[in-house]
Amino acid sequence: MNPEEIKRYFEHNPPPKEVRLTEWANITDTQVFLRSCYLTIRNFSGPVERCPAFWHLRDFYLLMKKAQQQPALSEENPIGEENTTQQNSSPQTDQ
């Protein structure tokens, strides 16, 4: 996959405005993030695989693809993440 393929994907599947990329990285405006990545990649003088902006763009793309597939799974299984989170936190509150 290359930056142009990712760009075409996001043109047809726009991401939500805010996304939590990792525990320490919260994207508050995904369109600004995408434009910044595209611009930095375009101006990078080395191979695209060595560009940190491409790494971030690829990670974001993979996260969005994974999130797109997960709603289909949770529709099949009525016990969503919310129920498992509540079950996991219950024993901690009882102590």
Side-chain angles (χ1 to χ4, degrees):
M1 122 190 56
N2 64 42
E4 287 303 316
E5 291 171 337
I6 295 173
K7 186 175 183 178
R8 282 193 298 273
Y9 171 81
F10 284 124
E11 287 172 352
H12 294 94
N13 303 294
K17 182 167 174 49
E18 291 189 28
V19 172
R20 186 172 192 98
L21 187 58
T22 65
E23 289 183 25
W24 51 268
N26 189 32
I27 302 170
T28 57
D29 190 336
T30 55
Q31 292 305 313
V32 171
F33 171 79
L34 290 172
R35 281 193 302 270
S36 173
C37 286
Y38 301 145
L39 182 63
T40 304
I41 292 167
R42 187 173 43 233
N43 292 324
F44 189 73
S45 59
V48 71
E49 295 82 19
R50 301 188 86 196
C51 178
F54 176 65
W55 304 339
H56 298 306
L57 181 64
R58 185 187 59 220
D59 290 346
F60 182 65
Y61 167 77
L62 293 173
L63 178 70
M64 292 294 99
K65 289 286 282 188
K66 183 179 176 183
Q68 184 181 25
Q69 294 170 352
Q70 283 182 343
L73 295 175
S74 62
E75 287 173 6
E76 294 172 6
N77 182 5
I79 303 173
E81 290 180 351
E82 295 175 9
N83 291 342
T84 57
T85 303
Q86 291 172 352
Q87 290 172 357
N88 291 340
S89 64
S90 299
Q92 294 172 353
T93 57
D94 292 338
Q95 295 176 359

